[in-house]
Amino acid sequence: MLSRLMPREGNFFELFNSHAGLIVEGSRELVAMITAFEDVEQHARRIDNAERAADKITHETITLLHKTFITPFDRDQIHQLITRMDDILDLMQDVAESVVLYDIRRITPESRQLAEICQMCCERVRTAVSLLKTVKDADAILKTCQEIDRLESDADRVMRSAMSKLFRDEADVKQLIKLRSIYELLELITDRCEDVANIVEGIVLENA
């Protein structure tokens, strides 16, 4: 009886796409903040707004998951996907807050490079998620996931090089600690994008 009262299928794909759009929006603000290093607090507010909006979508998705009888794919995968997507924006918010709270006055080329890689990863997350509704186009989805994996590896290399340079050349210990934290947070964003790619890849392989 309960199953008859529950909706058979929810608008999960619309929620995924809306969330992914906010991820890209946040990544663009992050790049603008770190590249130009102007209006830092304004960019931070915009990232915070995107993160708050994404939180609402995450909550709506999980609520819908509990109310829906038949889901487009495995319930655990839906939960993991929206949660990992939310982690991406949480980390962007952490970067923005750290830049403001640490009162960072100068940024490095490596920070900019990592932020740009983050944006590229986020754009591909949006692409991969948007293709889930047509999961039969497995090749295109898997190719996008592979691109995310490659970008995450690029971020690892930039991170290692940046850390080496930082500990070798930075004489100001406070600045070293601040930049190290920013590097680590930026690299974590690409890790969470890779997590999303792995979940999407699993969904495709099981349902294509």
Side-chain angles (χ1 to χ4, degrees):
M1 176 64 73
L2 180 61
S3 65
R4 296 176 189 171
L5 299 175
M6 297 173 71
R8 293 183 66 81
E9 203 164 332
N11 295 321
F12 290 101
F13 297 113
E14 288 80 359
L15 292 168
F16 294 150
N17 289 336
S18 295
H19 198 298
L22 289 167
I23 288 173
V24 171
E25 181 183 326
S27 72
R28 289 173 179 167
E29 291 294 332
L30 188 63
V31 169
M33 168 191 276
I34 290 179
T35 300
F37 216 66
E38 297 176 355
D39 301 321
V40 170
E41 292 189 3
Q42 183 177 356
H43 290 301
R45 281 194 299 272
R46 290 174 180 167
I47 291 170
D48 185 63
N49 290 339
E51 192 277 334
R52 290 175 186 271
D55 274 348
K56 292 180 181 178
I57 294 173
T58 300
H59 178 73
E60 186 178 349
T61 303
I62 293 172
T63 300
L64 181 62
L65 187 61
H66 290 297
K67 293 181 177 179
T68 304
F69 180 54
I70 297 177
T71 55
F73 44 86
D74 184 81
R75 291 175 181 275
D76 286 341
Q77 290 174 323
I78 291 174
H79 190 277
Q80 289 173 14
L81 178 58
I82 198 66
T83 302
R84 290 295 173 268
M85 288 172 67
D86 208 47
D87 289 344
I88 296 171
L89 265 168
D90 287 344
L91 284 166
M92 288 185 205
Q93 187 182 45
D94 289 345
V95 174
E97 288 180 350
S98 296
V99 169
V100 174
L101 291 174
Y102 295 167
D103 193 28
I104 296 178
R105 301 297 178 87
R106 60 184 174 87
I107 209 70
T108 63
E110 291 80 12
S111 297
R112 298 187 188 99
Q113 191 174 358
L114 283 169
E116 289 167 358
I117 294 173
C118 288
Q119 182 180 348
M120 289 187 283
C121 279
C122 291
E123 288 170 347
R124 283 158 178 80
V125 163
R126 180 175 64 178
T127 298
V129 168
S130 70
L131 290 170
L132 271 178
K133 193 169 184 177
T134 55
V135 73
K136 290 183 180 179
D137 193 4
D139 289 344
I141 300 174
L142 294 177
K143 180 181 178 183
T144 304
C145 291
Q146 289 167 6
E147 290 173 0
I148 295 171
D149 290 341
R150 176 182 56 78
L151 286 166
E152 192 277 333
S153 295
D154 290 344
D156 282 345
R157 286 192 289 273
V158 174
M159 169 78 161
R160 288 193 293 270
S161 176
M163 286 294 196
S164 175
K165 181 179 178 182
L166 186 64
F167 280 92
R168 185 177 64 247
D169 299 340
E170 182 56 65
D172 186 336
V173 175
K174 289 183 179 179
Q175 179 73 357
L176 185 151
I177 293 170
K178 293 175 183 180
L179 287 174
R180 178 182 178 180
S181 177
I182 297 299
Y183 290 163
E184 289 173 344
L185 288 170
L186 288 169
E187 198 276 332
L188 274 174
I189 292 172
T190 66
D191 286 344
R192 297 293 84 79
C193 288
E194 186 180 37
D195 289 343
V196 170
N198 290 337
I199 294 167
V200 169
E201 192 173 73
I203 292 168
V204 170
L205 294 175
E206 289 180 20
N207 295 277

